[in-house]
Amino acid sequence: MNNRPLTLMAVHAHPDDEATGTGGVLARYAAEGMRTVLVTCTDGGCGDGPEGIKPGDPGHDPAAVALMRRQELEASCEVLRISHLEMLDYADSGMMGWPTNDAPGSFWRTPVEEGAGRLAELLRHYEPDVVVTYDENGFYGHPDHIQANRITMAALAMTTLTPKVYWTTAPRSMMQRFGEVMREFGADGQEPDPAEAAAMAEIGLPDEEITTWVDTTAFGGQKFDALAAHASQGENIFFLKMGQERFTELMGVETFVRVQDTTGAAVPENDLFAGLR
């Protein structure tokens, strides 16, 4: 309508999340001429500081970390050719159970209606054809990811828009391979915790429950470089350890569950814009 380009909006919790689960589709659809909009909900202030200083340790300055991560996010957006970056700038809540969960201004503590109201304004402005965010458990239980899901679904309900809506996920078959790769790359003195590996095997969905498989192999280099742009968090970004070729081999297909659709496109599908073009 009115020459508006087909538009993908991805709603993510932190700087660097855009690259991990959706870097491939953001790069692919930008290359295909779609308008891509990234909404990042928090400032990432609970990330590592310079030289790997952890949150809560002496010398960790959340405001300085947030500024550094904003710059890295802008660099990642450039790599992925993201058309528009929107920052909600809530305070990073940290991992579940951290004291920062309940800090004033934290995303986790923010009323859903408030965050949803702000996101609804962006939805009305950009009128996306496709919206992507996390599932109700935030994929792995991170409070800010859970909150991103909540405000996204509430914001959509506040509008009259009817985009295709997807939640990111991973096939269990891939999570099993990922666990094997983690053990392989952890063999040099950083053996992954067995309980953590077991929990990872339960993340995602059985392959047959996934509705959408998007081949982004051709954009693996961009996705890897976007992750690498978040250099300050390199210690936490396991994927960078495996190198670009292995990374693309493992992460070259991005998978989703379609939770809202008015196009009637058949599933399984291999295109987020199936039924729209």
Side-chain angles (χ1 to χ4, degrees), residues 64-127:
V65 171
L67 177 60
M68 174 178 63
R69 297 196 71 184
R70 171 62 184 253
Q71 294 167 344
E72 291 176 339
L73 178 59
E74 290 173 352
S76 171
C77 288
E78 198 168 318
V79 170
L80 296 173
R81 303 291 186 262
I82 290 171
S83 310
H84 302 276
L85 169 63
E86 298 283 355
M87 298 284 291
L88 298 186
D89 267 335
Y90 290 107
D92 189 341
S93 309
M95 300 297 285
M96 190 66 83
W98 286 14
T100 45
N101 292 177
D102 296 316
S106 77
F107 189 38
W108 182 241
R109 184 173 171 176
T110 299
V112 169
E113 302 75 29
E114 178 193 318
R118 293 180 61 195
L119 182 57
E121 289 182 20
L122 295 174
L123 287 167
R124 294 186 192 103
H125 176 71
Y126 289 108
E127 298 183 349

Side-chain angles (χ1 to χ4, degrees), residues 11-55:
V11 182
H12 281 292
H14 312 97
D16 78 28
D17 288 334
E18 79 288 341
T20 308
T22 59
V25 292
L26 287 165
R28 171 179 164 169
Y29 291 123
E32 292 180 8
M34 314 299 192
R35 180 173 60 168
T36 52
V37 180
L38 170 63
V39 180
T40 301
C41 297
T42 80
D43 61 9
C46 284
D48 287 357
E51 299 180 15
I53 298 174
K54 302 296 181 186

